[in-house]
Amino acid sequence: MELSQASLLLDPAPLQLETGFERLPNGVLHVACRTDLHNCTGEMFEWWFRSRPGTREYIWWHPVDHVSSDWAEGSADTHVGSIHLVKEYFTGMPAADLAIQFRDAAEFFGAEAYRAARDSGAISAAVCGRVGMGATPQRLPTGEVLGGRLLHIGRDTKWGLALRSHFYMGQDLVADGWTPDQLKAEFSDDFGRALLMHCYNEFTFLSRFLPGIHAGDNRDAKPVTLPW
């Protein structure tokens, strides 16, 4: 699935590739991961990113792979417009520095289609952005980070949140003249497999504690159901 087909994520119908990875004709590495976050909601998922987790919370998120978390730009009340500066391992591969620039989800799907999907309940969460390799990636004069893309799209169900995560590694390098062979050398199939496992693990870990901390931090606005 090409990035230009991202609007397919707004439809709950099964995709041809829900979990796995593929090499696109231009050399871009596309990684897809479906994760079931039991007892979670889209509201909780977006709140987690808006809370801009620090290093302690980042390690909770993936106790094996995550190393450090910091934030730049944007405002303290939302992730959108901010750059998440992280260091993390990818399932046994060497640690890497990443700069994840969170953007308005409508930028990736079109405002009208995105709003229709939210209004209909086809999706209940969207966290999308640009991914730059290294702590100071190349940027456009208008500020956009150059590198890849990440799209996290969630849908509320009776049991919890059905989450689709899609990554397009090297998306911007094509315009810089990188050949498919060069992109494959930079983002190998082994990396695609490692990223897939990392993504599944980190959101499974998140699902185990997210309902509790969301309830605690929002208890003045939302009633908490007592276990007894």
Side-chain angles (χ1 to χ4, degrees):
M1 187 175 81
E2 302 276 356
L3 180 61
S4 61
Q5 299 173 291
S7 60
L8 292 173
L9 293 170
L10 302 179
D11 186 342
L15 296 171
Q16 186 172 350
L17 182 65
E18 289 281 357
T19 296
F21 57 93
E22 62 181 346
R23 184 72 53 180
L24 300 180
N26 59 7
V28 169
L29 178 64
H30 171 219
V31 178
C33 182
R34 158 68 185 255
T35 314
D36 292 344
L37 280 67
H38 291 275
N39 302 313
C40 296
T41 65
E43 179 184 1
M44 294 178 190
F45 187 79
E46 292 187 338
W47 169 85
W48 173 250
F49 285 88
R50 287 199 307 274
S51 73
R52 295 162 55 115
T55 294
R56 185 186 186 206
E57 295 78 17
Y58 193 60
I59 292 173
W60 292 350
W61 192 354
H62 196 316
V64 177
D65 282 1
H66 286 175
V67 178
S68 64
S69 166
D70 200 1
W71 293 81
E73 302 182 13
S75 59
D77 61 341
T78 183
H79 59 292
V80 176
S82 299
I83 297 179
H84 195 191
L85 301 168
V86 303
K87 179 184 284 291
E88 63 185 359
Y89 293 94
F90 290 102
T91 319
M93 301 191 81
D97 292 310
L98 301 176
I100 304 167
Q101 184 185 46
F102 292 108
R103 312 280 297 182
D104 187 331
E107 175 182 316
F108 298 86
F109 305 107
E112 185 175 341
Y114 175 66
R115 178 47 54 194
R118 298 282 310 214
D119 291 345
S120 71
I123 66 171
S124 61
V127 175
C128 305
R130 293 170 167 262
V131 183
M133 303 303 291
T136 56
Q138 184 180 356
R139 302 175 70 171
L140 292 174
T142 48
E144 293 92 336
V145 164
L146 294 175
R149 304 287 188 278
L150 66 79
L151 308 170
H152 299 305
I153 303 299
R155 175 174 55 88
D156 285 348
T157 72
K158 292 181 180 180
W159 49 261
L161 185 70
L163 180 66
R164 288 166 160 171
S165 300
H166 285 248
F167 303 85
Y168 291 85
M169 304 307 296
Q171 182 71 32
D172 294 314
L173 300 179
V174 176
D176 277 349
W178 286 50
T179 67
D181 286 343
Q182 288 175 313
L183 284 169
K184 187 173 183 178
E186 183 73 11
F187 302 105
S188 67
D189 288 351
D190 286 343
F191 175 77
R193 185 177 294 106
L195 175 56
L196 169 56
M197 294 172 66
H198 171 88
C199 181
Y200 180 84
N201 287 333
E202 71 176 349
F203 287 120
T204 300
F205 279 128
L206 179 64
S207 71
R208 294 173 179 171
F209 65 83
L210 181 58
I213 63 171
H214 179 267
D217 272 19
N218 294 276
R219 65 179 186 175
D220 293 334
K222 291 182 174 292
V224 178
T225 301
L226 296 174
W228 190 338

